Amino acid sequence: MKAVENILDKLKKLQNLYHYEGNNDILNLTLDKLIEYEIKNSQENLGELKEELEIYESKYRLSSEEFYRRFQKGEFGDKLDLVEWSIFYKMWLYAQERLQILEGDSR
């Protein structure tokens, strides 16, 4: 929790500086680069996770979305292979949400 508080404190300082000085080219450029870097990483992560999901989808001839819906209902049991698939799918969902937030499309 200390790390989160530290980050939030730093963001608050930047926010205060922005309100005090107005537009700051260095701050804007730095934040743009950081967001661009995080978007690129998220896109790469999504691609890697999609490749993993496609292996399972091909093996079981089922979309990950349909599998996960049925898996949550308990229709598939707890076979290790299927548990791994569900974990990859949850990671993919998280990565999608993260990318939406970074791109400014948060819900």
Side-chain angles (χ1 to χ4, degrees):
M1 201 62 167
K2 182 77 171 158
V4 171
E5 291 172 4
N6 189 24
I7 290 171
L8 292 175
D9 184 50
K10 289 176 185 179
L11 290 172
K12 184 69 173 170
K13 287 178 185 178
L14 290 175
Q15 181 182 23
N16 290 339
L17 181 63
Y18 184 80
H19 285 299
Y20 178 74
E21 291 184 345
N23 192 20
N24 181 318
D25 291 338
I26 293 173
L27 180 58
N28 282 331
L29 181 62
T30 302
L31 292 173
D32 286 346
K33 290 284 187 186
L34 177 61
I35 291 169
E36 181 182 306
Y37 173 82
E38 291 295 331
I39 287 172
K40 182 177 180 268
N41 281 346
S42 291
Q43 289 170 335
E44 289 174 1
N45 190 25
L46 274 170
E48 292 167 1
L49 289 167
K50 185 63 179 164
E51 288 176 9
E52 290 292 334
L53 293 175
E54 287 171 350
I55 292 169
Y56 291 100
E57 290 171 345
S58 176
K59 180 177 179 178
Y60 292 100
R61 299 180 187 264
L62 191 63
S63 73
S64 291
E65 183 178 0
E66 176 66 15
F67 156 74
Y68 191 68
R69 185 184 64 75
R70 293 173 59 189
F71 181 79
Q72 286 187 305
K73 290 181 177 181
E75 293 183 26
F76 292 109
D78 59 356
K79 184 178 165 192
L80 181 59
D81 197 37
L82 300 176
V83 172
E84 287 175 351
W85 188 5
S86 74
I87 291 169
F88 280 123
Y89 186 68
K90 285 194 287 189
M91 291 169 63
W92 183 79
L93 289 174
Y94 170 81
Q96 272 194 319
E97 289 179 21
R98 186 176 193 278
L99 183 59
Q100 287 176 343
I101 291 169
L102 288 165
E103 291 177 336
D105 299 333
S106 60
R107 295 176 184 164

